[in-house]
Amino acid sequence: MNLGASEEESAQEIHIPADINWEMLDKSKFFVLGAALFSGVSGALYPAVLMKTRQQVCHSQGSCIKGAFTLVGHEGLKGLYRGFGTSLMGTIPARALYMTALEVTKSNVGSAAVGLGFTEAKASAAANAVGGLTAAMAAQLVWTPVDVVSQRLMVQGSNGLVNSSRCCNYVNGFDAFRKIVRADGVKGLYRGFGISILTYAPSNAVWWASYSVAQSMVWGGIGCYVCKKDQENGNTVKPDSKTVMAVQGVSAAIAGSVSALITMPLDTIKTRLQVLDGEDSNNSNGKRGPSIGQTVRNLVREGGWTACYRGLGPRCASMSMSATTMITTYEFLKRLSAKNHDGFYSKS
């Protein structure tokens, strides 16, 4: 079944690559190659994530580019990779869990939706949305502790940091892990877990559904004009690999921007809960840090409702670049890991 096919057939037949489902993958190759490819992608995008995080936890909104140059001036390029080792150690198992949940869910939901009479396009959107939702919830079991530790390292030494007088200094990821557990127990590593689920689960559902819809729209709207026509097949149009990657990249960037805009306030609240409020539980009067409601009120007091969108520029850029890079890498990975490389094209 091709879940990536366009809903309507045009006068020209467009043969696009068929979707590779879970049963078609060589699992060992899929996970080994995936770990290598996504580690490289994470390293390339990490500076944008770091700058977004630092903006979200500062009192005032400053220039992201100026902040990046200041950080590099004080610490060198390594300053843009604070906490990267910790993030990478957790990202590999989290990504494996994410990909497994995504592909298994997409395959099952897609087949079920088609069996219930849904069209290919609607089945694709539903399968992608449910797959993204399930994958995000599963991966947060690993990603939340990694976020808590790596984000503390990211913002360390940041000028204008909220509650900076109560923030600990960490030598490295292991030191941060030890101090967090000593102060708050294991539950300290899962600070913001609920808001993380509320942020990433709908974000992933929106992203994968938007990606499916955007891809169908791009193929239906402009795909036939940018594909190379095979003269021997009459009205048949078969896109080359560059065209396929371009369509996937554009669709992913659109989906990333939509998802970033919708979930930005939740991401800002989540980051503050994970980075700042954990230190408040050890203040002199023994009170716990602010709740989600108090965090929102603090943000609004600092800069109005627009404060919830601090770091939107870096996040949109990060998510769009990440989405474009991740999806092209992911689709490439699936084709490298497929058991059978024949029959990858289907009509739409």
Side-chain angles (χ1 to χ4, degrees):
M1 181 183 66
N2 172 26
L3 294 179
S6 178
E7 182 175 6
E8 297 180 356
E9 293 189 2
S10 60
Q12 289 181 314
E13 282 186 346
I14 302 176
H15 284 240
I16 62 176
D19 188 60
I20 300 173
N21 61 32
W22 182 246
E23 289 74 19
M24 297 167 65
L25 293 172
D26 180 330
K27 309 303 188 297
S28 58
K29 186 184 292 186
F30 182 65
F31 289 121
V32 171
L33 290 176
L37 288 172
F38 284 112
S39 293
V41 171
S42 297
L45 299 173
Y46 193 79
V49 176
L50 181 140
M51 294 310 302
K52 181 269 298 182
T53 302
R54 290 171 73 92
Q55 281 197 317
Q56 286 178 319
V57 297
C58 287
H59 278 294
S60 58
Q61 178 74 25
S63 168
C64 177
I65 297 176
K66 182 179 178 181
F69 276 109
T70 301
L71 182 60
V72 172
H74 288 160
E75 301 182 26
L77 289 175
K78 67 178 183 180
L80 295 175
Y81 284 88
R82 280 183 177 179
F84 178 65
T86 300
S87 178
L88 187 61
M89 286 177 61
T91 295
I92 292 175
R95 184 68 63 182
L97 184 59
Y98 182 94
M99 292 189 297
T100 301
L102 175 67
E103 290 301 326
V104 171
T105 305
K106 280 175 60 180
S107 181
N108 292 331
V109 173
S111 298
V114 171
L116 290 173
F118 285 87
T119 62
E120 290 279 333
K122 290 179 180 179
S124 175
N128 277 276
V130 177
L133 183 72
T134 304
M137 293 178 69
Q140 281 308 310
L141 293 171
V142 179
W143 255 323
T144 298
V146 173
D147 272 350
V148 169
V149 175
S150 62
Q151 287 176 347
R152 300 285 181 96
L153 296 172
M154 285 181 191
V155 304
Q156 194 165 251
S158 179
N159 292 327
L161 183 68
V162 178
N163 297 333
S164 58
S165 62
R166 286 194 286 265
C167 288
C168 291
N169 290 319
Y170 307 111
V171 178
N172 51 40
F174 289 108
D175 183 52
F177 176 88
R178 181 177 57 83
K179 289 180 178 178
I180 292 170
V181 172
R182 186 175 62 187
D184 298 326
V186 175
K187 65 181 180 180
L189 295 172
Y190 282 89
R191 180 170 291 276
F193 179 72
I195 194 72
S196 292
I197 293 292
L198 290 175
T199 300
Y200 291 121
S203 174
N204 274 263
V206 169
W207 191 93
W208 282 103
S210 299
Y211 172 68
S212 178
V213 172
Q215 196 172 19
S216 294
M217 291 175 63
V218 172
W219 280 120
I222 66 172
C224 60
Y225 298 105
V226 298
C227 294
K228 293 181 179 179
K229 188 172 183 179
D230 188 344
Q231 298 295 335
E232 297 180 357
N233 293 330
N235 287 330
T236 299
V237 175
K238 184 176 180 179
D240 58 20
S241 59
K242 292 181 180 179
T243 301
V244 172
M245 289 184 66
V247 171
Q248 290 172 343
V250 170
S251 302
I254 293 171
S257 297
V258 170
S259 180
L261 184 63
I262 292 174
T263 60
M264 185 66 205
L266 288 173
D267 186 66
T268 300
I269 296 166
K270 174 194 73 71
T271 301
R272 287 205 165 202
L273 284 172
Q274 291 179 329
V275 173
L276 302 174
D277 300 337
E279 305 302 338
D280 293 343
S281 61
N282 295 320
N283 57 25
S284 58
N285 57 20
K287 293 183 179 179
R288 297 185 60 82
S291 63
I292 292 176
Q294 288 173 315
T295 301
V296 173
R297 287 193 291 272
N298 290 340
L299 271 168
V300 174
R301 186 168 57 248
E302 290 171 20
W305 288 105
T306 57
C308 294
Y309 284 87
R310 283 179 180 167
L312 178 61
R315 187 168 192 249
C316 275
S318 174
M319 286 192 68
S320 294
M321 289 188 296
S322 175
T324 301
T325 308
M326 290 289 186
I327 201 63
T328 52
T329 302
Y330 187 61
E331 296 288 358
F332 177 64
L333 169 65
K334 287 171 69 175
R335 299 196 179 282
L336 285 179
S337 305
K339 297 174 183 177
N340 181 10
H341 290 270
D342 297 326
F344 281 176
Y345 281 86
S346 64
K347 293 186 293 182
S348 73

